[in-house]
Amino acid sequence: MKILTAALALIGSFSIVQTRELGSIESPDILFIGSYTYNYPEVDYQLKGIDKACKGESVSVLYKFLNTKNIDYNDEYKLKLKDRFSLLFEQNDFDGVIVSDDDGLDFVLTYYDDFFSKMPVIFQKINDKEKAIYAEQTYANICGITEAIDYETNIKFAQSLMPNAKKFNYIADDTKTGIGVEKSLLEAYNDLNLNLVINKIDTSKLTYDEICERLSAIDENDITFYTIFTNDGAGRFYPLNEILQF
């Protein structure tokens, strides 16, 4: 996977990290912090990307996941994660960190002084571009790449398929990733100056039945974007295979 290959290449480059030069370390120990779980569909590609990038190199990678697709990523949970990572850092001496997705970057920034100030941190697959820019500009040892989706082209394509559309529906939630995706989507939508009624289906504020009702009410002639749907208003979390059944 090109994203992770690039991330590992960045870790070895002293030009973009100012705290430690990993190129001088014979066998660097890397910590990978994933926002989700091993069995989340896209994670398999990330792990294969790391394996490919490390092939033939003397690099040790320890994988840790925050499981935020199944557990509400709130302040209470962050403190529990902090306790776990405190023990992890007591028992290990890492030379660098790869962090994936928005919740992971948020965790790094929240506990930067506690764990991450002395080593290079590479982020990838970040949807909230503003937070990514903030991280790079604020901390000399943090850099990375965002998840760039060409929403403008996709919206134009959707409009060409649905020329009689009167509404622009989009499905989203209130997770860190959901907020970042929504910002990018609406930025692209506003740039196009479309004369459509915007209808947000915020799954984080609706029950299961309400979500079904809102989805069923969508006119087949209108444009609908699925961005992210992780949880509902009752606190229930949905795996991807279940979401696809709606």
Side-chain angles (χ1 to χ4, degrees), residues 19 31 33 85 88-89 94 96-99 104-121 139 141-142:
T19 54
L31 172 64
I33 302 175
F85 275 81
L88 178 68
F89 277 91
F94 296 107
V97 175
I98 303 172
V99 59
L105 179 58
D106 179 79
F107 181 77
V108 167
L109 296 181
T110 300
Y111 298 111
Y112 176 83
D113 292 331
D114 297 274
F115 308 124
F116 305 106
S117 63
K118 305 282 193 225
M119 65 192 72
V121 178
Y139 304 102
N141 63 316
I142 299 180

Side-chain angles (χ1 to χ4, degrees), residues 230-244:
T230 303
N231 55 21
D232 65 18
R236 179 184 174 188
F237 287 81
Y238 294 80
L240 185 60
N241 62 337
E242 186 173 348
I243 294 169
L244 296 177

Side-chain angles (χ1 to χ4, degrees), residues 13 28 94 176 202 208:
S13 172
F94 296 107
K176 292 286 188 301
D202 187 344
Y208 174 87

Side-chain angles (χ1 to χ4, degrees), residues 2 11 36 71 90 127 143 161 163 221 241:
K2 291 182 179 179
I11 286 179
Y36 310 139
I71 300 175
E90 285 176 8
N127 294 104
C143 68
L161 296 176
N221 294 312
N241 62 337

Side-chain angles (χ1 to χ4, degrees), residues 67-168:
N67 198 21
T68 62
K69 287 292 186 184
N70 299 307
I71 300 175
D72 189 11
Y73 182 66
N74 54 29
D75 290 341
E76 181 181 357
Y77 184 54
K78 284 185 187 181
L79 288 174
K80 291 181 180 179
L81 289 172
K82 180 186 178 184
D83 290 339
R84 296 175 190 173
F85 275 81
S86 293
L87 182 61
L88 178 68
F89 277 91
E90 285 176 8
Q91 298 175 342
N92 297 272
D93 183 19
F94 296 107
D95 300 302
V97 175
I98 303 172
V99 59
S100 178
D101 294 285
D102 294 74
D103 289 334
L105 179 58
D106 179 79
F107 181 77
V108 167
L109 296 181
T110 300
Y111 298 111
Y112 176 83
D113 292 331
D114 297 274
F115 308 124
F116 305 106
S117 63
K118 305 282 193 225
M119 65 192 72
V121 178
I122 306 298
F123 61 76
Q124 56 101 16
K125 288 189 84 279
I126 305 302
N127 294 104
D128 191 337
K129 295 180 181 178
E130 292 180 5
K131 179 163 284 190
I133 292 172
Y134 166 80
E136 286 192 330
Q137 293 181 344
T138 305
Y139 304 102
N141 63 316
I142 299 180
C143 68
I145 52 178
T146 58
E147 187 171 31
I149 299 175
D150 191 349
Y151 287 112
E152 185 169 325
T153 298
N154 280 281
I155 293 172
K156 287 179 179 178
F157 180 63
Q159 193 176 32
S160 71
L161 296 176
M162 318 292 285
N164 298 317
K166 296 181 179 179
K167 280 187 178 182
F168 180 82

